[in-house]
Amino acid sequence: MSERTVTPARRRGLADEVADSVREAIFDGTYPPGAQLREVELSRALEVSRGPVREALLRLEREGLVRTAWHRGACVVELTPDDVVELDSLRGALEGLAVRLVADRADEHGLAEIDTAAEAMGRAADAHAMVRADIAFHDAVYRAAGHQRLREAWDAIRSQAHLFLLTRVGLDADVTHLPAEHRELAAALRAGDTDRATHLFAEHRAHAFAVLTDGHTATASPDPAPRESEQDDVRRARRG
């Protein structure tokens, strides 16, 4: 009987590099929500063949950043009100657990990373940099939670959450309050005040939800048991 073997791991390929480049171009506003991503143009700009570009776009589609339609090709996702409701409810469920774990048991290293990420927001040069810093802050929270599967679940929606925040930038939302808000979040975690931290993180998320859903209609289900203010946001979104 022949020996069983595993396939040797491949080195990081060209498609990974193309995906990184396109992802960064989405996140820095070069390709805003709704922008078309044409294989020919991307291959020319990145000086690669169309094969790696096609594979990269498929990876970004799996991340929820790109949608492909037969008559339009690939384009950057535009979040619908239903997308926002679903993303918000899932993020809320994950974040609620992360916040409780950090407040209950995070070590000094994890808390210091959260503090550093909060302070970095004050040095953001523009709104897009602020969004990057916001995501980095939440990355630090999930690392500090010390729950591998929870962190993997966050990684699965991380790019969509980034796009969620970029949509706020596209709506010209005021983000000047974010550095102070995140310092307050970090302080509540460091104090081990689970109730206050949970409340502050929920308020932080509810504000973004309200900005994106005001004046639109959403039909997707929110959290199983959202706070009263979040229920009001959802009702307003559904009424349009």
Side-chain angles (χ1 to χ4, degrees):
M1 184 171 57
S2 61
E3 293 184 5
R4 293 182 178 179
T5 61
V6 295
T7 303
R10 295 188 303 171
R11 293 186 177 182
R12 184 174 175 80
L14 190 56
D16 296 296
E17 296 180 12
V18 172
D20 288 346
S21 295
V22 177
R23 186 187 301 107
E24 290 304 305
I26 293 171
F27 289 161
D28 70 15
T30 300
Y31 296 116
Q36 286 194 295
L37 300 170
R38 297 180 175 87
E39 289 182 14
V40 174
E41 293 177 3
L42 288 171
S43 63
R44 185 183 303 120
L46 297 170
E47 299 181 348
V48 298
S49 66
R50 293 177 64 178
V53 171
R54 188 175 301 113
E55 186 177 347
L57 292 177
L58 288 174
R59 296 184 188 192
L60 296 177
E61 187 170 19
R62 288 194 293 270
E63 291 180 20
L65 285 180
V66 170
R67 283 198 178 123
T68 303
W70 70 269
H71 60 292
R72 289 193 61 194
C75 63
V76 180
V77 164
E78 292 182 278
L79 294 173
T80 68
D82 284 350
D83 292 332
V84 172
V85 172
E86 288 191 0
L87 183 58
D88 175 75
S89 61
L90 178 55
R91 183 181 175 188
L94 299 178
E95 194 168 81
L97 176 56
V99 168
R100 291 193 297 273
L101 290 173
V102 173
D104 288 345
R105 70 187 194 189
D107 59 21
E108 176 58 31
H109 176 73
L111 293 171
E113 280 197 341
I114 293 171
D115 291 339
T116 298
E119 291 300 324
M121 298 195 72
R123 300 190 293 274
D126 55 36
H128 283 90
M130 184 76 78
V131 169
R132 288 179 184 276
D134 187 305
I135 291 294
F137 174 85
H138 291 280
D139 287 341
V141 171
Y142 281 97
R143 285 195 299 272
H147 191 306
Q148 182 62 31
R149 287 176 174 78
L150 176 61
R151 184 174 169 184
E152 290 170 355
W154 161 245
D155 286 342
I157 65 167
R158 183 182 185 277
S159 289
Q160 295 175 65
H162 198 146
L163 191 64
F164 177 105
L165 296 174
L166 284 179
T167 305
R168 293 180 63 190
V169 173
L171 293 173
D172 297 322
D174 181 12
V175 295
T176 57
H177 66 287
L178 288 179
E181 188 174 300
H182 283 75
R183 286 193 294 271
E184 188 176 17
L185 296 174
L189 291 173
R190 178 169 282 281
D193 189 338
T194 303
D195 290 341
R196 177 166 172 75
T198 299
H199 173 74
L200 289 175
F201 272 83
E203 286 290 332
H204 171 64
R205 185 170 53 83
H207 176 71
F209 179 87
V211 168
L212 286 183
T213 57
D214 189 26
H216 296 282
T217 299
T219 58
S221 298
D223 291 350
R227 295 178 304 104
E228 184 175 352
S229 62
E230 291 177 356
Q231 291 174 334
D232 291 340
D233 290 334
V234 173
R235 283 193 289 270
R236 282 197 298 272
R238 287 175 172 166
R239 285 199 303 267

